[in-house]
Each structure stands twice: as C-alpha cells, then as structure tokens.
C-alpha cells in the first residue's frame, strides 16, 4: 500500500465510529438508560483511580457514548488517531479496533453503553501514553537505558479529549520534533520499497572499485538507485558518478570515505530494507521516550556514531569525534539526559573504586611500585608510601585506600573534563590516548566519553559567555592547577543511542548496533505486536 493509499484508509472506520449517533438507539428511554449508564460507568471505572476521579467530577456523564455533537467529535478524533497506529510503529492489533467497532455497533442498554464508555476511555489513555511517551519501559529492556521518560498526567489526556478541539489534541500527542517527522517519513518510504521488493539482489563481490564492470556492479548500481543515491541509469560501469554515490553512502553510514565499495561498505549496502525499517521503528520509540524540549542549545552525543555535538536549534554548532564505553557489561555507556554545569581544567582523576579494586589492586599485589602515576590516599586524605603497604592483605571488599592521579598532560582525563553531575558518574573529557580517534568503531573507555577536540569543545561552550573564550581557557590551563569554570547558562546534555538518525537535508543516516540495544528493543516491540508493513511473503 502506498503512502497515498494509507491516507485514505480512515473512511470505513470513520463511518462505523459514528454509528452511536444514528438510528435513535439513545433516543429511547433516555432517563432510565442514562441512570443505568452512569451507574455502570461508576462501577467500571472504579478500578482506575484517575479515570474514576475524572468521571466523578462530571457526575459520571459519558465521554464517548452520548448523543451530543461533542461526543461525535471525540469518537471521530479517537478513530482518526487509532487508524494511524501502524504509521507510528505501534502495534495496531493490540488496540483491537475491530472489537471496539463491533461493541459500538451492538451496544443497546445503558449498562452496555456504560461499559463501552469506560472501555473507550481506557483504550484512549493506553494509546495516548504509547503515542506520546512510548509503548515500552526503557529500563526493562536494558539496564544501560536509564532515561527518565517524561510521562504526562493521565488526567491531562482526559481533559484534552474533552476540550473544544479533540481532533487537534490527538494530533498533538505524537512527538512534534522534526526528527520524529523525518523518521515517520522514512518509515513510510521503506514500507513502499518493501512492498515493491526491497533494495534488490545483494552484492556478492567482496570489493568493487572505479573502473570495474559486470553483474556485481549492476547489483551495486541497482541498490544505490533504489536507496536514492543514484539516478536511474542502465550502464554497468563503476564510473565517477557511481564513485560519488558510494562516497555519499559511506558518509551516511559512518564508513571510511574513499568511494571504493570494500568489504565494510558492501556489508552495509547489503543490509536488507527490513533491517533498516526496524532501526527506524526503534528510533521512533526512542524519540517518544525523550519527547521533551531538548533545549534551544544543547549537547547531543549519539553513542552509535561516536560523535559529540553542540547543537544550536536544529543546527550543529560544533562537532567532534568521541570514544564511548567498551562493549562489555561493566563499561557500556548509559543513555540519559542531564545538565552540564561546569568544566574542570587540569582535573585530578579520582579513580572509581570499581577500577581501583578490579584493575589496580591486582597490579599492586604483583608489584607495589607499579602505576607510579597514581597516588595512594588513606581515609584522612594523606598520601601513603606504597612500600609500607601489604597489598596481599586486601581484597575488593576491604581495600581502604583511594587512588588519585594529579593534573598533568598524562592524566587519564587529559587536561579538561566537562561535568553534568549524575548518579551514573559519566562525563565528557580529554584523553592522552589520541590514536583511538582514528578508528571507525570507537568503543574503548570505561564508560565516560572521550573527546578528540576537547579544547575546541571548551572554546565553543565559553564563546556564549566570553569575548575571548580561548584566552579565558588558556589562562586557567597555564596555571597547572585544577580550576573549575562554571557555565553561566548550563546546557542540557542528551546521551542517545540511535542506529537511524535523520538529517535536515539528505538521506537518513544509519549506524551499527554497537551494544545490541536496538535489537533488544525491536524484539520487545515485536512481542507487543509491532509488525513490518510492506514485507512480502
């Protein structure tokens, strides 16, 4: 079904949705039936405190099953948004629209109408929450997703649907961000492609480069055309135009940019359209989890593309490569939002206890003089002579010392760290290990985020509060002393994880599922009943 065809599917359900207002069903024995209806509403809603309270405030009057024009408009609004459940990547079958339509068609008595009204309210509340803040609970999917979902007051949903503009209200439920709009557009595009057969036959060659020709170049050409990187053409030569298309594909997929279809590029080109669609649907759910004002100016770190960005509105103000946590349970960088308050220039590294006892204590047992850059600190803050300590007497449970690395160019945190105090003890920082930024996949840290260009990152932040940001930073750096510099206007920080991310202009960008979190989310959505529309067979 094309995008245009999907837009026409509302009419049949709309007609059925309005049946409660036709045929005189509610015109008979009104006084008796309204009393029975109100009594049933009170009983049926009692198990839901929010719903019961809302109904009570209106003397248990029906929200949906009345005969007034306002009830008709609410029903229209409800079915209009339910018809779009699949477009939003939500499990349409879970809301049982056919069952609801049948119940509306057959309801006759006040008792039946009362039960139906509460059922419709409960369905509306469930769907409104799913559409606005997500179907899934993030922390139940992966412990590394510690994002606080911005849940809304349920009474607000009921007030919205009973307002003077119920249609306008339901249309405002989905995230209004440009990212969500572009993701939905990509979802519909991929569904149309899948209905037509997907991206086409896979490329079987291990490597293709300019000057090549033959069947594998045809397969490359066809996939690039289907994906929108090449205009329609019939020749089978890897020419300059195809080289440019491959180069753009590489840019959009975080690959080395050389215009040659090597092993890694071909592997990404061969990813099925079904998998790309899954990434988009997962990204839509993730966008619902973060459905809030990100801040006109904010810091955005997409873990999967190994970059940190300072955003000014929808535009990238500054961008630098990043290193994230290793892909092991103890090191994966979590996802959450917080507020950056200050930076520390010439920081001391206070070694986290988990690292101290897991990595350094065993080393001290073998050689007390190892890792001489670290100072051993007792409970009173005094530096301890390691030669006087029997490390063999200590374990992870009873190790009584702290480890600190004083400020220096060799400090594990480099020469600056950017703080957004949080219970996860995650921050952005410099690093002396510069070579890692040359890698394509940069998951090497203990969880914190290392920046390739931390000084420029600092200058960009300070430019909003100083006429000479570089001079301000360098004057603090040159003292060699640990110095805290507050941000006059603290910035929201969002650590996100998106394998599908849009651009204001151009193609959707895709990244690999480095921690496997998106696969877990897709599996959970599939268990809820989310399906891939357009898939053949």
């Amino acid at each position: 079904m094309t995008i245009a065809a999907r837009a026409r599917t509302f009419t049949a359900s709309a007609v059925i949705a309005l049946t409660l207002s036709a045929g005189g069903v509610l015109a008979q024995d009104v006084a008796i039936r309204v009393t029975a209806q109100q009594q049933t509403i009170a009983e049926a809603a009692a198990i839901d405190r929010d719903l019961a309270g809302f109904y009570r405030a209106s003397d248990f009057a029906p929200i949906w099953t009345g005969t007034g024009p306002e009830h008709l408009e609410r029903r229209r609004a409800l079915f209009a948004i339910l018809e779009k459940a699949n477009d939003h990547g939500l499990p349409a079958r879970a809301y049982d629209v056919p069952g609801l339509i049948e119940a509306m068609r057959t309801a006759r008595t006040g008792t039946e109408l009362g039960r139906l009204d509460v059922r419709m309210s409960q369905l509306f509340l469930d769907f409104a929450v799913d559409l606005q803040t997500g179907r899934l609970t993030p922390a139940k999917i992966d412990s590394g997703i510690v994002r606080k979902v911005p849940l809304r007051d349920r009474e607000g949903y009921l007030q919205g649907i009973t307002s003077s503009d119920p249609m306008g209200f339901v249309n405002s439920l989905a995230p209004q961000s440009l990212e969500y709009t572009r993701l939905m557009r990509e979802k519909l595009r991929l569904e149309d492609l899948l209905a037509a057969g997907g991206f086409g036959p896979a490329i079987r060659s291990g490597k293709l480069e300019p000057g090549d020709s033959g069947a594998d170049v045809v397969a490359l050409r066809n996939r690039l055309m289907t994906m929108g990187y090449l205009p329609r053409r019939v020749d089978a030569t890897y020419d300059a135009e195809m080289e440019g298309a491959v180069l753009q594909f590489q840019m959009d997929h975080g690959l080395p940019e050389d215009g040659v279809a090597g092993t890694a590029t071909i592997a990404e080109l061969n990813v099925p359209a079904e998998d790309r669609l899954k990434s988009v649907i997962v990204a839509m759910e993730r966008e619902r989890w973060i459905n809030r004002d990100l801040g006109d100016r904010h810091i955005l770190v997409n873990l999967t593309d190994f970059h940190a960005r300072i955003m000014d509105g929808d535009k990238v103000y500054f961008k630098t490569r990043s290193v994230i946590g290793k892909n092991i349970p103890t090191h994966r960088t979590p996802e959450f939002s917080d507020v950056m308050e200050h930076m520390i220039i010439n920081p001391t590294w206070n070694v986290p206890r988990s690292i101290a006892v897991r990595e350094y204590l065993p080393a001290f047992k073998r050689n007390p003089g190892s890792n001489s850059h670290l100072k051993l600190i007792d409970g009173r803050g005094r530096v301890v002579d390691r030669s006087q300590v029997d490390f063999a007497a200590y374990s992870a449970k009873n190790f009584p010392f702290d480890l600190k690395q004083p400020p220096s160019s060799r400090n594990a945190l480099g020469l600056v760290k950017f703080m957004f105090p949080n219970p996860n003890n995650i921050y952005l920082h410099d690093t002396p290990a510069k070579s890692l930024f040359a890698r394509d996949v940069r998951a090497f840290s203990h969880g914190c985020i290392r920046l390739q260009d931390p000084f420029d990152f600092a200058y960009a932040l300070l430019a909003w509060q100083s006429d000479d940001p570089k001079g301000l930073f360098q004057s603090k750096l040159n003292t060699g002393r640990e110095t805290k510099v507050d941000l006059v206007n603290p910035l929201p920080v969002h650590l996100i994880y998106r394998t599908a991310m849009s651009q204001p202009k151009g193609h959707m960008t895709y990244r690999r599922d480095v921690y496997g979190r998106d696969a877990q989310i897709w599996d959970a959505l599939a268990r809820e009943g989310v399906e891939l529309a357009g898939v053949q067979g």
Side-chain angles (χ1 to χ4, degrees):
M1 183 183 298
T2 65
I3 296 175
R6 275 194 293 273
R8 297 192 293 268
T9 60
F10 165 69
T11 53
S13 293
V15 172
I16 300 175
L18 309 184
T19 56
L20 288 171
S21 64
V25 173
L26 290 179
Q28 304 170 8
D29 303 322
V30 170
I32 296 175
R33 235 163 342 114
V34 164
T35 301
Q37 187 174 15
Q38 290 173 316
Q39 178 64 32
T40 304
I41 287 173
E43 294 172 354
I47 60 173
D48 186 321
R49 179 181 299 177
D50 296 330
L51 199 53
F54 190 86
Y55 273 120
R56 187 182 303 109
S58 62
D59 200 23
F60 300 101
I63 294 175
W64 312 93
T65 57
T67 57
E70 70 276 16
H71 301 97
L72 177 60
E73 288 304 309
R74 292 168 198 164
R75 295 195 295 271
R76 279 177 171 161
L78 176 62
F79 277 86
I81 198 66
L82 285 173
E83 287 283 348
K84 297 178 182 178
N86 184 68
D87 288 351
H88 289 279
L90 291 170
R93 292 184 183 180
Y95 307 110
D96 191 22
V97 172
L100 181 62
I101 292 173
E102 178 63 16
M104 294 175 69
R105 188 183 68 80
T106 59
R108 293 290 182 271
T109 69
T111 297
E112 291 170 339
L113 290 167
R115 291 198 190 101
L116 175 61
D117 205 272
V118 173
R119 176 181 173 182
M120 293 177 74
S121 293
Q122 291 171 326
L123 172 61
F124 165 70
L125 286 174
D126 289 345
F127 185 77
V129 171
D130 292 352
L131 181 57
Q132 190 163 64
T133 51
R135 175 81 178 182
L136 305 175
T137 302
K140 292 182 179 179
I141 306 300
D142 188 291
S143 60
I145 311 176
V146 294
R147 181 166 304 288
K148 294 181 180 178
V149 176
L151 296 172
R152 273 58 163 188
D153 179 20
R154 295 172 82 236
E155 184 179 352
Y157 292 125
L158 296 169
Q159 291 173 343
I161 197 62
T162 55
S163 69
S164 60
D165 184 16
M167 189 69 75
F169 176 72
V170 298
N171 287 334
S172 73
L173 288 173
Q176 301 300 298
S177 66
L178 292 173
E179 178 70 11
Y180 191 83
T181 300
R182 293 190 288 251
L183 285 168
M184 179 177 285
R185 187 184 304 131
E186 178 72 357
K187 176 182 182 294
L188 300 180
R189 186 186 77 87
L190 286 171
E191 288 172 350
D192 287 347
L193 278 175
L194 281 167
F199 292 151
I203 304 162
R204 286 181 277 186
S205 175
K207 181 179 181 181
L208 295 169
E209 55 190 345
D212 288 347
S213 61
D216 285 328
V217 172
V218 170
L220 171 63
R221 177 201 69 192
N222 290 345
R223 289 183 84 84
L224 288 171
M225 288 192 303
T226 303
M227 293 174 183
Y229 287 95
L230 265 181
R232 301 296 302 179
R233 50 184 279 178
V234 296
D235 57 285
T237 302
Y238 198 139
D239 57 10
E241 184 180 41
M242 187 176 293
E243 182 180 7
V246 169
L247 181 63
Q248 184 60 54
F249 178 89
Q250 291 169 335
M251 293 172 62
D252 291 341
H253 292 75
L255 297 164
E257 300 166 16
D258 57 9
V260 174
T263 303
T265 298
I266 288 178
E268 289 300 305
L269 281 162
N270 281 337
V271 172
E274 292 93 331
D275 288 354
R276 297 304 190 199
L277 178 56
K278 291 176 183 178
S279 292
V280 169
I281 292 173
V282 168
M284 293 175 72
E285 176 75 354
R286 286 180 170 281
E287 191 71 7
R288 291 188 284 265
W289 292 346
I290 200 175
N291 186 10
R292 53 188 273 192
D293 181 7
L294 300 183
D296 290 337
R297 290 172 174 170
H298 60 274
I299 295 167
L300 191 68
V301 181
N302 186 9
L303 302 180
T304 66
D305 83 347
F306 310 106
H307 279 85
R309 297 168 175 84
I310 301 175
M311 305 295 297
D312 193 352
D314 197 38
K315 297 180 179 178
V316 178
Y317 179 75
F318 181 80
K319 175 182 174 182
T320 183
R321 289 188 168 205
S322 65
V323 168
I324 67 170
K326 294 178 185 177
N327 185 23
I328 59 176
T330 55
H331 289 36
R332 294 179 191 128
T333 303
E335 305 166 42
F336 63 96
S337 295
D338 217 296
V339 178
M340 183 173 290
E341 300 174 354
H342 62 273
M343 65 183 73
I344 296 178
I345 302 171
N346 295 314
T348 296
W349 183 36
N350 297 297
V351 181
R353 182 169 178 81
S354 60
I355 299 176
V357 299
R358 186 172 60 241
E359 299 182 19
Y360 290 116
L361 178 57
F364 294 156
K365 288 181 178 181
R366 293 190 297 269
N367 177 11
S370 65
N371 298 289
S372 59
H373 60 287
L374 298 175
K375 293 186 180 298
L376 196 67
I377 309 298
D378 67 15
R380 298 174 63 181
R382 299 173 300 186
V383 177
V384 176
D385 182 352
R386 292 200 217 163
S387 65
Q388 303 302 311
V389 178
D390 180 11
F391 290 102
Y394 299 115
S395 67
K397 292 183 178 180
N398 67 0
F399 187 62
F401 304 105
D402 291 327
L403 294 177
K404 295 180 183 291
Q405 184 181 16
S408 78
S409 60
R410 295 180 57 231
N411 187 287
L413 304 182
L415 293 171
V416 61
K417 66 177 179 178
F418 304 89
M419 302 301 293
F420 41 106
N422 59 84
N424 309 294
N425 198 28
I426 297 296
Y427 43 86
L428 279 57
H429 66 89
D430 183 16
T431 176
K434 304 296 186 183
S435 63
L436 296 177
F437 292 108
R439 307 281 188 91
D440 295 320
V441 177
R442 298 184 290 276
F444 300 105
S445 81
H446 285 85
C448 286
I449 298 161
R450 307 172 188 171
L451 304 180
Q452 183 177 30
D453 303 303
F455 286 12
D456 290 332
F457 193 87
Y459 303 156
L461 295 176
L462 294 174
W464 287 322
Q465 64 189 62
S466 171
D467 293 332
D468 183 15
K470 184 174 181 179
L472 171 62
F473 181 87
Q474 290 292 333
S475 68
K476 306 298 183 183
L477 181 67
N478 291 337
T479 67
R481 297 190 301 271
E482 182 170 286
T483 305
K484 176 184 176 185
V485 177
D486 290 325
L487 297 182
V488 173
N489 296 305
L491 266 69
V493 178
H494 306 289
L495 306 188
I496 65 171
Y497 185 106
R498 301 288 176 85
T499 58
M501 194 86 175
S502 75
Q503 302 180 91
K505 295 181 180 179
H507 301 89
M508 185 70 57
T509 66
Y510 292 98
R511 294 295 186 269
R512 282 157 282 189
D513 189 6
V514 61
Y515 291 160
R517 288 177 183 165
D518 271 20
Q520 294 180 73
I521 294 172
W522 169 255
D523 288 344
L525 286 171
R527 288 193 295 271
E528 292 291 315
V530 174
E531 300 175 328
L532 296 180
V535 176
Q536 297 180 337

